[in-house]
C-alpha cells in the first residue's frame, strides 16, 4: 500500500502532505526532511527508486518540486511511478499548466483531487475526467 | 464561498517572512486569533479559520485545538463546512484521539445522505482514520452501500470495506459474498477496488483464498478483454489500456495461483499472451511486464513460460531507462537460486552492468555476478571481477574481495591461478580484506610445493613496490623467511628471473621493520622472517644477529620478547637453531572439533614443532597473528555453546600459576551471514579479565571462516575459575543474544 505522498520543494518546504499510514505529528517534520535530503543527494544517473528504512520511496522531480511516494514492498514500483505522473497530469488539466504557487494557494482543491485518486493507500480512479468531475461540479455550485 | 480567499492572504504573509523566527511569530499570532474565534460559537468565518489552521499544521506547527472545531463543522448542514471539517478530521484526528469517536454519528448520517458528494466525504474519512469501534458500528452501512447502483459511491465503499477488513479481520466474512459479484462490473474504478478487496480478503484468510480460486477464469477473461481491446480513450496510458488495473489483476492472480496447480494452469495462456503482446517501449508497458514476470515466477508455471519471463528481464537489462534496469536486477536476484541456468544466459549483460553509473545497480550486479560464478566461467568472470575491484566504490570493496575469495576457493582451475588471484586482490584492495586471508593464503602456498619459487619471487616484487598493504606485507615476509633460499637462487620457469643478493633481501625486510606504515603484526612477521633466513643464507648471518639484538630493546613488547628469544637461540642454543628454523611441513587443513569438515580458518601445527625449549620459555615459531592457532591436535577444544548454527569453542593457550590465556572461536554453519557478532564476558570479582580485540565481527555462511578472540584471565588469589559469556549477533536482520556459563576450562597442552 501507499504509506504517504509528499510534495516538497528543493528548500525542504512541504507543499502537500498526505499520510495513509499514521505517523505521529511530531515525527512528520523529521521524516519529510530526511526524505527530501535523500532525494536531493541522488545524482542524475541514479534511478527513481530508493530503499529507505524498511520500505521504498518512489520520487519524481518536476522543476523545483519533488513528489515522493512511500510504498511498501508489495507495490509495483513502476506502476506508482506512472501514478505520480498521472497525478501531475490531472493537476495540469485543472490548473492549466500547474506551478508550485498554484498548489500552494489552492491546497484544499489539490486535496480533493488527491482524495479522488488515492483512498486509504490504494488507487481508486485514474481517469482524469472522472477525477475532476466532482471538483468542477463544486466550482459551478460555488459560482452560482 | 470558497474558504481559500483569506487562506491565500495568510499564505502570502507567511511567505514574506524573512526568517524562521519571524515566521514562527506570525503563525503564533494567527493561531491565537483562530483560537479566540473558535471559542465564539456563531461565526461565519469558521471554514476559513480551519483552512488556515490546516495549512499551519502542514508546516509542522501544533494544531490540536482545531479538533473540536472539526467535529462541529462535520455536523453542520452546509456542504462547504462539511468538506473542510472532514479534511480536518483526516489530518488532525486519528484513532488515539477521543474526539474521533464523536464523529461516528455524523458519519453514519452522512452515509445515507442524498447527495453523493457528502456520502463520498464520509466514506473517505472513514477509510482514512476509522478506528476499530467506528468500523464495527458502521460495517452494515458499508455493506448496504456495496450494493448501491452508483459506481462513484460503490468504488469508494469497497475501499472503505478494505480498511474495515484490515482493522477487524472477522468482518471479512460479511463482505465475501458480495466481492465475487462485484467482478462483473463494467466500471474500471469499481473493478479495481473489487480486486483490491478480494486481494485483501485472500491474504487474510486461507479459506477465503480457496473460495476465490473459482474466480480465476473470470479474472482471466477480464484481462484478455483489456489486452485485446483497441484504443480506449478513457483508460489509456501511453498505449496500454488501464495498466493500473492490469497490474492489480496480475497480482491477485499471483496470490491465487501460488502453490496450486489447477489455478496456475488456467493462467498459463493468459500470462504468455500478456508477456508477448504488451508493448514495453514506455514505462506503463514495462510496469505490466514486470508484474507478469513476478507472477510467472511465483506460481507453478511451466518451464517455457519461466524462460520467457527471464528473457523479458534480460531485455530490461539492456533498456536505457535506469529504473527498468534496477528492477530487473532486483527480480533476477530473487530468482537466481531457483532458475540458475536461465539467468546464466544473461550473464554477459549482468557483468556489463558492473560498469553502470548507478551505485545501487552496481551493487546488485556484483551480487548477481558472484551468484553466477561456476566452474566453467570462472576465468572470465574473475577477470571482470578483478577489474571491478580496482574501480568500485569503497563501500563495496570488502564485499567484492570476500566474494572473490569464496569463488576462487570453490572453482580455482589451478593452484597457480588461485595464488595469482589472491595476490592480485591483496595488491589492489589489501586494506579491505578479512583477517583470515593471511593465514588462508599461507596455507594455500605451503600446499602448492612446486610453486614456492614462483610465489616467493612474485611476492618479493610486490613487496618492494609497495609496503602499505598490510596483508600483502605479512604474506610476503612469511614467504621470504620460509623460502629465502629459493628466492636467492633466483631462477624459476614461469617468471622472469631476478638476481638478488642476500643484502637486497635483508634490506627489504628491514624496510618493513622500520617503516611507520607497518603494523605491529607485520613487523613481527618481518622479524621472524629475518631470523629464519639465518639458516637459509650463508654470508650475512652477522647482520641478522645485529638486527635481532637491536630489537631486544624495542618498546613493542611482542617484538622485544621475540628478539630476546632469538638472541637466546643464537647464543645459548645455536646447536638447535637449524632444527628449530627448518622448513615448515605442509599445514593440515582440518582442525579438531570441526563437525562439518569445512575450513574454519584455524591452523593446526604438528606436535613436534611446539616442543618447549628447556628453560621454560616457549619459542613462538609462528607469527602471532590472532587467527593462527599454535596448539596441536592434542589440545582439547571445548564447545561451550551451540545453537541455531552458531558455535563457540574454547581453547586454553597457556596457563601459569596465576594467569590463563584462552581463545574463543566462533563459527557459523547456517546459510546466512551473521553480522555484528560480539562477545562479552564476566568473571568473579577476584579474577581480572582482559579481552583482546576480536579478529572480526562478521561470520560468513557455511563455516568458511571463524572469528577468534583471545581472553587473558589473571587469578592471583587462585580461586576457582568461572566465567559467563554473552554472545550477541545479527542474523537476517534479527538481533539474537544468548548467555552461557562456563565452569570447567580445558587444560592446555603443556602442564
Amino acid at each position: 500500500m501507499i504509506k504517504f505522498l509528499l510534495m516538497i520543494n528543493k528548500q525542504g518546504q512541504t507543499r502537500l502532505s498526505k499520510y495513509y499510514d499514521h505517523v505521529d505529528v511530531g515525527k512528520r517534520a523529521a521524516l519529510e526532511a530526511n526524505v527530501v535530503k535523500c532525494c536531493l543527494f541522488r545524482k542524475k544517473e541514479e534511478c527513481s527508486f530508493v530503499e529507505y528504512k524498511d520500505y521504498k520511496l518512489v520520487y519524481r522531480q518536476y522543476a523545483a518540486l519533488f513528489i515522493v511516494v512511500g510504498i511498501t514492498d508489495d507495490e509495483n514500483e513502476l506502476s506508482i511511478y506512472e501514478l505520480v505522473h498521472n497525478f501531475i497530469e490531472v493537476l495540469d488539466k485543472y490548473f492549466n499548466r500547474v506551478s508550485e504557487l498554484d498548489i500552494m494557494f489552492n491546497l484544499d482543491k489539490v486535496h480533493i483531487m488527491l482524495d479522488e485518486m488515492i483512498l486509504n493507500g490504494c488507487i481508486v480512479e485514474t481517469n482524469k475526467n472522472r477525477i475532476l468531475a466532482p471538483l468542477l461540479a463544486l466550482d459551478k455550485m460555488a459560482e452560482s | 464561498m470558497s474558504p481559500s480567499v483569506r487562506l491565500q492572504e495568510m499564505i502570502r504573509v507567511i511567505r514574506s517572512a524573512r526568517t524562521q523566527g519571524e515566521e514562527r511569530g506570525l503563525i503564533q499570532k494567527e493561531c491565537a486569533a483562530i483560537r479566540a474565534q473558535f471559542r465564539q460559537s456563531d461565526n461565519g468565518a469558521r471554514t476559513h479559520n480551519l483552512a488556515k489552521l490546516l495549512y499551519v499544521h502542514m508546516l509542522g506547527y501544533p494544531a490540536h485545538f482545531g479538533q473540536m472545531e472539526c467535529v462541529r463543522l462535520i455536523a453542520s448542514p452546509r456542504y462547504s463546512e462539511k468538506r473542510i471539517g472532514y479534511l480536518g478530521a483526516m489530518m488532525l484526528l486519528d484513532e488515539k484521539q477521543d474526539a474521533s469517536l464523536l464523529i461516528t454519528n455524523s458519519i453514519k448520517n452522512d452515509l445515507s445522505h442524498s447527495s453523493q458528494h457528502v456520502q463520498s466525504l464520509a466514506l473517505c474519512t472513514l477509510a482514512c482514520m476509522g478506528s476499530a469501534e467506528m468500523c464495527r458500528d458502521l460495517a452494515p452501512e458499508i455493506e448496504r452501500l456495496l450494493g448501491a447502483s452508483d459506481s462513484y459511491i460503490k468504488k469508494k465503499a469497497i475501499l472503505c470495506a478494505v480498511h474495515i477488513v484490515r482493522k477487524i479481520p472477522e468482518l471479512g466474512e460479511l463482505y465475501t459474498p458480495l466481492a465475487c459479484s462485484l467482478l462483473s462490473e463494467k466500471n474500471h474504478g469499481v473493478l479495481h477496488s473489487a480486486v483490491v478487496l478480494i486481494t485483501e480478503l485472500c491474504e487474510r484468510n486461507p479459506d477465503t483464498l480457496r473460495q476465490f480460486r473459482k474466480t480465476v477464469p473470470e479474472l482471466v477473461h477480464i484481462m484478455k478483454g483489456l489486452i485485446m481491446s483497441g484504443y480506449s480513450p478513457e483508460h489509456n496510458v501511453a498505449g496500454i489500456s488501464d495498466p493500473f488495473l492490469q497490474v492489480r489483476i496480475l497480482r491477485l492472480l499471483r496470490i491465487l495461483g501460488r502453490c496450486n496447480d489447477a489455478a496456475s494452469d488456467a493462467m498459463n495462456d493468459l500470462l504468455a499472451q500478456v508477456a508477448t503482446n504488451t508493448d514495453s517501449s514506455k514505462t506503463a508497458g514495462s510496469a505490466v511486464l514486470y508484474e507478469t514476470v513476478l507472477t510467472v515466477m511465483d506460481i507453478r508455471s511451466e518451464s517455457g513460460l519461466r524462460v520467457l519471463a527471464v528473457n523479458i528481464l534480460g531485455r530490461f537489462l539492456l533498456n536505457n531507462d535506469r529504473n527498468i534496469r534496477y528492477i530487473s536486477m532486483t527480480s533476477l536476484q530473487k530468482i537466481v537460486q531457483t532458475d540458475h541456468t536461465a539467468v546464466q544466459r544473461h550473464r554477459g549483460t549482468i557483468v556489463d552492468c558492473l560498469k553502470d553509473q548507478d551505485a545501487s545497480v552496481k551493487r546488485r550486479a556484483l551480487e548477481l555476478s558472484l551468484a553466477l560464478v561456476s566452474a566453467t566461467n570462472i576465468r572470465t568472470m574473475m577477470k571482470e571481477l578483478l577489474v571491478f575491484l580496482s574501480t568500485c566504490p569503497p563501500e563495496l570493496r570488502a564485499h567484492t574481495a570476500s566474494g572473490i575469495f569464496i569463488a576462487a576457493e570453490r572453482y580455482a582451475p589451478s593452484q597457480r591461478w588461485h595464488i595469482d588471484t589472491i595476490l592480485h586482490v591483496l595488491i589492489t584492495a589489501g586494506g579491505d580484506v578479512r583477517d583470515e586471508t593471511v593465514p588462508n593464503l599461507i596455507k594455500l602456498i605451503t600446499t602448492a610445493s612446486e610453486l614456492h619459487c614462483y610465489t616467493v619471487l612474485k611476492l618479493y616484487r610486490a613487496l618492494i613496490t609497495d609496503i602499505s598493504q598490510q596483508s600483502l606485507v605479512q604474506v610476503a615476509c612469511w614467504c621470504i623467511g620460509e623460502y629465502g633460499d629459493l628466492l636467492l637462487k633466483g631462477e624459476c620457469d614461469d617468471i622472469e628471473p631476478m638476481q638478488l643478493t642476500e643484502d637486497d633481501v635483508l634490506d627489504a625486510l628491514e624496510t618493513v621493520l622500520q617503516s611507520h606504515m607497518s603494523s605491529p603484526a607485520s613487523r613481527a612477521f618481518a622479524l621472524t622472517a629475518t631470523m629464519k633466513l639465518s639458516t637459509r643464507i650463508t654470508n650475512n648471518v652477522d647482520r641478522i644477529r645485529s638486527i635481532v639484538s637491536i630489537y631486544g630493546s624495542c618498546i613493542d613488547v611482542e617484538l622485544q620478547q621475540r628478539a630476546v628469544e632469538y638472541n637466546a637461540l643464537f647464543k645459548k642454543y645455536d646447536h638447535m637453531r637449524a632444527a628449530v628454523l627448518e622448513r615448515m611441513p605442509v599445514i593440515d587443513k582440518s582442525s579438531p572439533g570441526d563437525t562439518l569438515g569445512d575450513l574454519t580458518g584455524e591452523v593446526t601445527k604438528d606436535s613436534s614443532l611446539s616442543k618447549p625449549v628447556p628453560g621454560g620459555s616457549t619459542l613462538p615459531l609462528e607469527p602471532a597473528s590472532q587467527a593462527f592457532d599454535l596448539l596441536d591436535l592434542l589440545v582439547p577444544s571445548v564447545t561451550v555453546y551451540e545453537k541455531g548454527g552458531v558455535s563457540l569453542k574454547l581453547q586454553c593457550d597457556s596457563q601459569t600459576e596465576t594467569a590463563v590465556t584462552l581463545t574463543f572461536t566462533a563459527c557459523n554453519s547456517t546459510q546466512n551471514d551473521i553480522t555484528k557478532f560480539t562477545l562479552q564476558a564476566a568473571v568473579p570479582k577476584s579474577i581480572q579479565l582482559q579481552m583482546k580485540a576480536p579478529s572480526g565481527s562478521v561470520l560468513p555462511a557455511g563455516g568458511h571462516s571463524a572469528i577468534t578472540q583471545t581472553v587473558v584471565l589473571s587469578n592471583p588469589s587462585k580461586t576457582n575459575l568461572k566465567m559467563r559469556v554473552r554472545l550477541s549477533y545479527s542474523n537476517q536482520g534479527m538481533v539474537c543474544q544468548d548467555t552461557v556459563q562456563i565452569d570447567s576450562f580445558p587444560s592446555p597442552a603443556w602442564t
Side-chain angles (χ1 to χ4, degrees):
Chain A
M1 65 175 267
I2 299 176
K3 291 177 91 102
F4 54 80
L5 190 144
L6 304 168
M7 284 175 123
I8 316 181
N9 73 0
K10 272 202 203 151
Q11 280 83 38
Q13 296 168 310
T14 312
R15 294 299 172 213
L16 174 78
S17 73
K18 189 92 187 181
Y19 288 87
Y20 297 101
D21 190 14
H22 184 73
V23 172
D24 282 331
V25 178
K27 302 211 178 94
R28 284 185 194 180
L31 172 71
E32 285 157 22
N34 269 338
V35 158
V36 85
K37 217 189 322 174
C38 209
C39 296
L40 281 174
F41 273 141
R42 306 280 288 179
K43 300 192 281 281
K44 232 187 327 147
E45 312 89 29
E46 293 186 294
C47 65
S48 303
F49 312 127
V50 186
E51 267 148 46
Y52 181 78
K53 294 207 183 139
D54 59 342
Y55 50 88
K56 288 192 215 152
L57 298 175
V58 178
Y59 72 93
R60 271 187 105 138
Q61 187 178 3
Y62 292 93
L65 206 57
F66 279 101
I67 306 194
V68 187
V69 181
I71 54 172
T72 54
D73 279 334
D74 53 353
E75 284 284 345
N76 183 327
E77 298 97 327
L78 286 175
S79 141
I80 299 294
Y81 190 71
E82 280 297 305
L83 180 71
V84 170
H85 193 68
N86 201 356
F87 179 50
I88 292 292
E89 281 178 351
V90 168
L91 291 174
D92 245 351
K93 190 159 182 196
Y94 183 75
F95 290 111
N96 275 329
R97 317 245 341 247
V98 63
S99 70
E100 193 179 333
L101 288 177
D102 282 326
I103 297 176
M104 276 179 66
F105 284 105
N106 294 292
L107 195 55
D108 49 335
K109 297 204 179 136
V110 177
H111 266 281
I112 296 181
M113 276 186 258
L114 188 54
D115 282 337
E116 288 290 321
M117 281 187 83
I118 305 177
L119 188 67
N120 190 24
C122 305
I123 305 173
V124 179
E125 183 64 65
T126 50
N127 180 302
K128 297 192 216 15
N129 290 325
R130 290 212 205 113
I131 294 172
L132 292 176
L135 191 57
L136 294 170
L138 229 67
D139 287 343
K140 228 184 280 185
M141 259 200 297
E143 273 167 41
S144 57
Chain B
M1 190 176 12
S2 158
S4 310
V5 175
R6 309 243 183 110
L7 173 66
Q8 286 173 350
E9 267 178 43
M10 185 186 85
I11 296 178
R12 243 176 245 125
V13 167
I14 293 178
R15 265 166 65 86
S16 63
R18 255 160 291 150
T19 68
Q20 184 80 309
E22 207 180 320
E23 181 185 296
R24 229 176 314 180
L26 281 168
I27 289 185
Q28 269 172 359
K29 236 189 330 172
E30 272 297 328
C31 284
I34 294 174
R35 259 183 140 128
Q37 292 204 316
F38 279 167
R39 269 183 237 124
Q40 299 173 4
S41 50
D42 177 22
N43 196 327
R46 285 196 296 175
T47 48
H48 304 185
N49 289 329
L50 192 57
K52 283 190 267 185
L53 189 62
L54 291 179
Y55 183 80
V56 161
H57 169 77
M58 189 183 75
L59 290 179
Y61 296 91
H64 43 272
F65 50 89
Q67 287 169 4
M68 286 313 294
E69 193 63 18
C70 291
V71 176
R72 244 174 271 143
L73 280 173
I74 289 176
S76 137
R78 297 178 59 198
Y79 178 70
S80 51
E81 294 189 351
K82 262 197 210 289
R83 215 197 66 215
I84 203 85
Y86 274 120
L87 186 61
M90 279 195 273
M91 290 178 76
L92 296 177
L93 291 176
D94 64 73
E95 321 187 326
K96 299 189 203 107
Q97 315 288 351
D98 300 323
S100 60
L101 290 170
L102 297 171
I103 61 176
T104 315
N105 211 21
S106 305
I107 294 185
K108 192 165 185 177
N109 291 338
D110 285 336
L111 282 175
S112 351
H113 203 275
S114 47
S115 158
Q116 62 173 10
H117 297 290
V118 173
Q119 281 180 312
S120 82
L121 283 179
L123 283 169
C124 192
T125 311
L126 181 61
C128 183
M129 41 76 68
S131 68
E133 293 85 45
M134 288 166 72
C135 290
R136 224 182 279 273
D137 283 339
L138 297 167
E141 284 292 314
I142 302 295
E143 192 190 348
R144 185 179 57 83
L145 285 172
L146 281 182
S149 53
D150 184 9
S151 56
Y152 177 72
I153 294 299
K154 219 191 253 192
K155 69 189 183 206
K156 298 201 182 198
I158 300 175
L159 285 177
C160 211
V162 172
H163 177 85
I164 294 178
V165 170
R166 277 195 196 138
K167 283 275 173 219
I168 312 172
E170 300 86 54
L171 286 176
E173 293 161 5
L174 192 58
Y175 301 116
T176 314
L178 287 163
C180 281
S181 57
L182 287 169
L183 279 180
S184 44
E185 292 281 331
K186 292 278 173 281
N187 181 304
H188 279 214
V190 178
L191 213 44
H192 191 130
S193 316
V195 174
V196 174
L197 177 62
I198 297 178
T199 314
E200 188 69 33
L201 289 171
C202 290
E203 276 174 354
R204 300 256 157 197
N205 191 335
D207 293 319
T208 334
L209 178 68
R210 248 170 275 139
Q211 244 183 313
F212 277 115
R213 281 225 177 90
K214 54 184 180 345
T215 59
V216 170
E218 207 173 336
L219 290 167
V220 168
H221 178 77
I222 299 174
M223 269 299 281
K224 280 215 171 104
L226 282 174
I227 315 169
M228 294 284 104
S229 70
Y231 179 75
S232 142
E234 277 198 351
H235 304 111
N236 193 301
V237 178
I240 314 280
S241 183
D242 208 343
F244 300 103
L245 182 59
Q246 289 194 25
V247 163
R248 274 271 164 219
I249 294 182
L250 284 168
R251 184 164 321 129
L252 178 57
L253 286 174
R254 181 157 82 227
I255 297 176
L256 292 175
R258 220 180 259 161
C259 311
N260 184 300
D261 289 321
S264 309
D265 281 334
M267 297 177 214
N268 264 326
D269 285 336
L270 170 73
L271 292 171
Q273 213 177 357
V274 175
T276 35
N277 283 354
T278 313
D279 172 25
S280 63
S281 54
K282 294 285 176 69
T283 319
S286 305
V288 175
L289 281 175
Y290 175 44
E291 197 69 33
T292 318
V293 168
L294 289 178
T295 306
V296 167
M297 287 298 147
D298 223 3
I299 64 173
R300 302 249 178 93
S301 49
E302 49 189 33
S303 58
L305 199 52
R306 289 182 97 91
V307 170
L308 183 60
V310 176
N311 286 346
I312 293 179
L313 288 178
R315 226 172 49 223
F316 276 177
L317 276 179
L318 299 166
N319 198 305
N320 282 332
D321 190 343
R322 58 193 175 274
N323 291 334
I324 296 183
R325 278 208 297 274
Y326 172 85
I327 54 157
S328 80
M329 285 279 184
T330 326
S331 323
L332 282 171
Q333 211 171 344
K334 286 187 208 145
I335 62 174
V336 73
Q337 302 298 338
T338 45
D339 291 81
H340 197 93
T341 32
V343 181
Q344 278 279 7
R345 240 174 265 149
H346 302 279
R347 202 186 64 235
T349 333
I350 294 174
V351 167
D352 278 335
C353 285
L354 283 172
K355 303 180 195 115
D356 199 295
Q357 300 278 8
D358 189 330
S360 36
V361 173
K362 259 196 214 175
R363 186 179 323 177
R364 294 232 155 34
L366 172 67
E367 290 180 26
L368 270 173
S369 310
L370 289 173
L372 286 176
V373 170
S374 75
T376 40
N377 57 32
I378 179 73
R379 282 190 198 262
T380 34
M381 286 297 277
M382 200 48 83
K383 252 187 249 151
E384 295 285 343
L385 286 170
L386 288 173
V387 167
F388 177 66
L389 184 64
S390 40
T391 52
C392 77
E395 61 268 8
L396 289 177
R397 272 223 187 118
H399 188 68
T400 318
S402 59
I404 290 179
F405 285 150
I406 294 175
E409 216 165 277
R410 263 196 221 144
Y411 303 114
S414 72
Q415 282 186 320
R416 185 174 141 188
W417 181 93
H418 195 173
I419 292 177
D420 276 341
T421 311
I422 301 189
L423 282 181
H424 192 133
V425 175
L426 285 179
I427 295 174
T428 335
D432 296 302
V433 300
R434 285 204 255 254
D435 294 336
E436 305 85 53
T437 319
V438 172
N440 280 342
L441 180 56
I442 292 181
K443 211 187 314 179
L444 182 63
I445 293 175
T446 54
T447 46
S449 37
E450 61 286 357
L451 292 169
H452 286 167
C453 190
Y454 168 78
T455 315
V456 73
L457 273 170
K458 240 189 142 173
L459 281 168
Y460 178 78
R461 282 220 181 89
L463 185 66
I464 51 179
T465 343
D466 174 21
I467 59 167
S468 58
Q469 305 277 31
Q470 294 309 303
S471 0
L472 186 64
V473 165
Q474 287 168 12
V475 178
C477 288
W478 192 91
C479 285
I480 293 175
E482 263 309 284
Y483 310 120
D485 46 338
L486 294 173
L487 182 62
L488 289 166
K489 250 194 278 172
E491 37 182 74
C492 178
D493 302 326
D494 305 313
I495 198 171
E496 42 178 274
M498 282 177 84
Q499 279 313 318
L500 292 169
T501 65
E502 293 169 1
D503 275 321
D504 290 331
V505 178
L506 287 172
D507 279 339
L509 289 175
E510 261 203 275
T511 326
V512 175
L513 271 173
Q514 291 164 354
S515 163
H516 62 280
M517 286 194 278
S518 307
S519 69
S522 311
R523 283 156 126 215
F525 269 88
L527 188 61
T528 310
T530 315
M531 186 61 195
K532 281 194 220 171
L533 280 179
S534 69
T535 49
R536 285 146 175 81
I537 62 176
T538 43
N539 297 339
N540 281 5
V541 185
D542 287 331
R543 185 173 167 188
I544 295 182
R545 220 191 287 249
S546 61
I547 293 176
V548 166
S549 61
I550 290 173
Y551 278 90
S553 44
C554 171
I555 280 188
D556 185 336
V557 177
E558 174 70 34
L559 281 182
Q560 189 188 89
Q561 180 180 348
R562 283 172 190 244
V564 165
E565 286 164 358
Y566 293 154
N567 251 333
L569 197 55
F570 267 124
K571 297 208 178 94
K572 286 202 269 179
Y573 303 103
D574 208 26
H575 52 281
M576 292 178 73
R577 189 162 49 94
V580 167
L581 296 174
E582 71 179 5
R583 183 90 94 228
M584 296 239 192
V586 173
I587 298 172
D588 194 11
K589 278 196 178 176
S590 61
S591 69
D594 191 326
T595 48
L596 295 175
D598 280 329
L599 297 169
T600 59
E602 290 182 67
V603 173
T604 56
K605 297 273 298 85
D606 241 321
S607 52
S608 56
L609 286 169
S610 64
K611 242 188 321 203
V613 175
S617 62
T618 50
L619 258 187
L621 293 168
E622 286 287 351
S625 116
Q626 277 177 335
F628 258 54
D629 188 4
L630 291 177
L631 305 174
D632 61 20
L633 291 155
L634 300 174
V635 173
S637 146
V638 177
T639 304
V640 295
Y641 172 82
E642 177 116 38
K643 194 163 130 185
V646 178
S647 64
L648 190 65
K649 295 192 199 80
L650 181 58
Q651 268 166 334
C652 183
D653 291 340
S654 71
Q655 185 168 18
T656 67
E657 286 205 326
T658 54
V660 179
T661 309
L662 305 161
T663 301
F664 283 103
T665 309
C667 195
N668 167 19
S669 60
T670 64
Q671 289 192 343
N672 312 300
D673 286 351
I674 285 181
T675 55
K676 298 193 201 143
F677 185 89
T678 51
L679 286 173
Q680 290 166 304
V683 291
K685 284 212 180 89
S686 53
I687 304 179
Q688 279 165 343
L689 168 76
Q690 188 194 16
M691 292 187 88
K692 303 271 169 82
S695 62
S697 69
V698 175
L699 280 172
H704 285 287
S705 57
I707 293 177
T708 55
Q709 189 162 12
T710 308
V711 169
V712 178
L713 296 173
S714 142
N715 184 8
S717 50
K718 296 189 213 159
T719 49
N720 265 340
L721 279 180
K722 268 194 264 223
M723 195 154 87
R724 190 174 298 172
V725 175
R726 189 196 328 194
L727 315 87
S728 84
Y729 54 89
S730 179
N731 184 2
Q732 284 180 303
M734 286 186 315
V735 175
C736 310
Q737 266 189 356
D738 227 334
T739 315
V740 61
Q741 173 100 357
I742 306 175
D743 292 317
S744 67
F745 290 80
S747 55
W750 48 83
T751 35

